[in-house]
Amino acid sequence: MNRQNRADAVDREMATRLLPDVALTALAGWWSLNALTYADGTPGAHTIRYTPGRWTQITP
């Protein structure tokens, strides 16, 4: 099993597990705050570091 297959297996497993109530409550609060902060759909000024060489072997 290669690295991508292992990552896919983790994704499948995590998709079957429900979040605990405390996490859902925290997520709802975070979502509400961000919905107001970014109401126009723009994330504001920020920088994303991107190193192409680290992504060349990743396929869809």
Side-chain angles (χ1 to χ4, degrees):
M1 183 179 285
N2 68 26
R3 188 174 181 175
Q4 185 62 53
N5 289 343
R6 289 191 308 267
D8 292 342
V10 169
D11 286 346
R12 284 190 300 275
E13 180 65 25
M14 294 306 293
T16 66
R17 297 175 184 261
L18 298 177
L19 290 173
D21 289 340
V22 67
L24 290 174
T25 301
L27 183 58
W30 175 86
W31 189 263
S32 295
L33 174 65
N34 283 291
L36 294 173
T37 303
Y38 306 112
D40 66 354
T42 60
H46 66 285
T47 300
I48 297 173
R49 293 179 64 184
Y50 171 70
T51 308
R54 295 189 67 194
W55 294 85
T56 57
Q57 296 182 12
I58 298 174
T59 59

